[in-house]
Amino acid sequence: AQSVAQPEDQVNVAEGNPLTVKCTYSVSGNPYLFWYVQYPNRGLQFLLKYITGDNLVKGSYGFEAEFNKSQTSFHLKKPSALVSDSALYFCAARDYNFNKFYFGSGTKLNVKP
Amino acid sequence: DGGITQSPKYLFRKEGQNVTLSCEQNLNHDAMYWYRQDPGQGLRLIYYSQIVNDFQKGDIAEGYSVSREKKESFPLTVTSAQKNPTAFYLCAILAGGTGELFFGEGSRLTVL
């Protein structure tokens, strides 16, 4: 079965420290990969995507993600966390043959002052 | 967001009632989706539509119905057959090509 896994329900980091939110996927072919952020009672906002090419993708608000094909991973990173980064983060994979998206269960990021 | 409008934002329903959630878009995209979000479970696909007058069941379609009579609109009806309808519902559209999903602001349904 196709799936996306986010192994950490919650990640805690101090402001100013680097952060990593992990994601692995099991989707056939060469799926497109995405990260989204969600604030309470809001819709999901697109952060970045990997389609092809450079394994390091840069996105909005200083976030970046590293694609690793051999490990089927797509981890979200930021060099210096802000308190305002505290939110729920979702990883997703798109099976472009069928326009279907598979979402991870989400990781709550807590950035403490 | 932006060109996707969901309404109402909050909705309360008595058991046994059907309710319809609205999703409208002005971005002229073909594919539209409905997801359900419960705490700790991520997003689950209810229905999606690739084109007008056509739609497919997602992973949790039981107790829900949709229509796609116009490109701009993809309403979701939560029927009385849905046993646990209290949730946050998200509508999304697919940007073409290698695009991503764009989400509306969501509708929170609470069954009293």
Side-chain angles (χ1 to χ4, degrees):
Chain A
Q2 317 268 44
S3 65
V4 172
Q6 293 180 240
E8 302 154 317
D9 291 335
Q10 185 167 298
V11 169
N12 298 312
V13 64
E15 188 174 32
N17 283 359
L19 69 88
T20 298
V21 182
K22 296 179 180 177
C23 172
T24 59
Y25 64 92
S26 177
V27 177
S28 57
N30 296 307
Y32 303 154
L33 301 168
F34 305 86
W35 276 101
Y36 289 86
V37 60
Q38 185 183 34
Y39 297 97
N41 291 311
R42 303 292 300 276
L44 276 66
Q45 297 177 31
F46 169 74
L47 280 179
L48 51 79
K49 65 183 175 184
Y50 175 83
I51 305 299
T52 187
D54 193 349
N55 289 344
L56 186 64
V57 179
K58 294 190 182 298
S60 306
Y61 313 117
F63 284 94
E64 56 191 27
E66 186 169 13
F67 170 68
N68 187 316
K69 186 171 185 176
S70 64
Q71 297 185 3
T72 61
S73 67
F74 189 54
H75 300 330
L76 181 70
K77 300 174 183 287
K78 188 174 183 182
S80 179
L82 299 172
V83 172
S84 57
D85 292 331
S86 298
L88 187 58
Y89 290 82
F90 287 97
C91 180
R94 174 182 169 185
D95 179 345
Y96 61 87
N97 286 322
F98 300 100
N99 281 344
K100 286 196 73 174
F101 285 75
Y102 302 91
F103 283 86
S105 56
T107 299
K108 185 177 180 183
L109 175 65
N110 296 314
V111 182
K112 298 183 178 179
Chain B
D1 206 344
I4 308 174
T5 302
Q6 286 190 243
S7 61
K9 179 69 175 176
Y10 297 96
L11 184 60
F12 298 89
R13 183 194 104 175
K14 294 181 180 179
E15 283 193 24
Q17 289 181 333
N18 292 354
V19 293
T20 297
L21 307 180
S22 172
C23 179
E24 303 279 330
Q25 58 116 347
N26 61 5
L27 299 173
N28 202 35
H29 290 301
D30 288 311
M32 299 184 72
Y33 301 72
W34 274 106
Y35 289 91
R36 169 178 171 145
Q37 185 178 17
D38 296 284
Q41 294 193 44
L43 276 65
R44 292 184 289 170
L45 181 64
I46 305 172
Y47 271 96
Y48 65 106
S49 169
Q50 305 265 36
I51 198 167
V52 174
N53 292 323
D54 186 50
F55 48 82
Q56 290 79 41
K57 293 182 178 180
D59 302 317
I60 57 164
E62 185 175 353
Y64 299 97
S65 66
V66 293
S67 62
R68 189 78 188 279
E69 297 176 0
K70 300 186 300 181
K71 190 174 188 178
E72 304 79 27
S73 178
F74 190 40
L76 174 73
T77 296
V78 184
T79 76
S80 57
Q82 168 50 233
K83 298 190 184 308
N84 185 20
T86 294
F88 192 52
Y89 292 88
L90 289 158
C91 178
I93 62 171
L94 176 63
T98 60
E100 58 275 14
L101 290 175
F102 289 104
F103 285 84
E105 286 294 286
S107 294
R108 184 167 296 282
L109 172 63
T110 302
V111 174
L112 303 174

